[in-house]
Amino acid sequence: MSKTTEIEKVKKDITSHPLDSEQAVESFRLTYLSRKGIITEMLAGIGKAAPEDRARLGKELNALKKLATSRFEEAKAARSSEKASRAAATDDPTLPPPPLPTGSSHPLSQTLEEIKNIFYRLGFTIADGPELEDDFHNFTALNFPPEHPARDMQDTFFIRKDELNPSRDLVLRTHTSPVQIRLMKEQKPPLRAIMPGRVYRNESITAKSYCLFHQVEGLYVDRNVSLADLKHTLITFAGHLFGKDLKYRIRPSFFPFTEPSLEMDIWWETGNRPGQWMEILGAGMVHPNVLSAVDIDPEIWTGFAFGMGVERITMSRFEIDDIRLLYDNDIRFLAQFP
Ligand code: DAH
């Protein structure tokens, strides 16, 4: 038999050799690829062939070895993946189940939880009110003049008009301040509560603004409540949330329902961005007109109020630069805040 016919025969054997069990794969390896295997011996025999045939034989034998090696590698891989899936399919009811991926609390919930805890320790209770409000609670009782721009179509989602009584026009609340009104109507002072909740504004959706967000309102009404009490409460709160080294500033501002009004900024430096002032809340002394609107005598009682944006605070704490991420419910994003 010439060398070439012999190679053809081995090639056929290689292709038809069974490889359907671990033993078959091992016998294939021993037969063709081991040190005593057929191909190894044939390669060693090249030296005995006629010199003019050697190059061609070498080429043919190398191709043969390549074929055997690749069949062997394929069969080995197939066997091990089969083994793995057989192990996975084992139906043993006594085995512990594979762990389920655990969820985590949303970054907004984490922030809200912390804000609530801080105010709980400062003696504040929690109150809430409806997201579908009427004009009276959302605006009128809060001392918004009838022509105030915040009532403009741009900001407010108007739901239903009440032709007979404009105070009962329905809106999606634009802030949590109406809950102050509900609380003061339902309970007598002294009052000390925070009112977390969702609010809505008819704004275009961008990285900085969304059509809904969350606020935490605060209200304290008692005898002799002063601006100093308000400042102390806000500074204590911010210190707990952002840490003792916090740099803050308090600026005069305007809201129809407080007099005087102020805003609090914190100095915010993140990683590589230059530091900047960021407004986190509005506040002030409850306007006498607001107390009168809910039958609380402003000659006897005074109070302070504040309202903060939960998204802003969350975005700064977690260095999130696009508000929409908080509403996409993308697991890849949420999994980063265990
Ligand atoms: N309601 C205001 C807003 O949405 C925030 C606010 C400012 C609430 C001052 C207050 C306050 O209670 O006293 O922008």
Side-chain angles (χ1 to χ4, degrees), residues 142-143 255-259 284-293 298 303:
L142 287 162
N143 201 32
F255 301 101
F257 37 92
T258 45
E259 180 58 38
M285 302 305 293
V286 181
H287 198 291
N289 290 355
V290 174
L291 295 173
S292 300

Side-chain angles (χ1 to χ4, degrees), residues 55 63 67 104 106 160 239 259 271 277 285 315:
L67 173 73
S104 57
H106 193 282
R160 198 190 65 209
E259 180 58 38
W277 288 109
M285 302 305 293
M315 289 167 73

Side-chain angles (χ1 to χ4, degrees), residues 65-126:
K65 187 172 181 184
K66 224 168 155 182
L67 173 73
T69 311
S70 85
R71 282 214 75 202
F72 170 71
E73 295 295 346
E74 260 170 47
K76 213 168 67 176
R79 301 254 50 93
S80 76
S81 85
E82 196 183 293
K83 223 164 134 186
S85 64
R86 219 179 313 121
T90 314
D91 198 6
D92 180 350
T94 65
L95 287 178
L100 288 172
T102 49
S104 57
S105 118
H106 193 282
L108 283 175
S109 307
Q110 293 183 31
T111 305
L112 198 53
E113 216 36 52
E114 247 182 81
I115 295 173
K116 284 198 239 175
N117 278 333
I118 295 169
F119 282 108
Y120 176 76
R121 277 180 272 155
L122 294 176
F124 285 73
T125 56
I126 295 185

Side-chain angles (χ1 to χ4, degrees), residues 174-177 180 201 215 217-218 255 257-258 282-284 305-307:
T174 55
H175 52 175
T176 42
S177 302
Q180 286 184 36
R201 296 215 185 146
Q215 289 186 334
E217 193 79 14
F255 301 101
F257 37 92
T258 45
F306 56 84

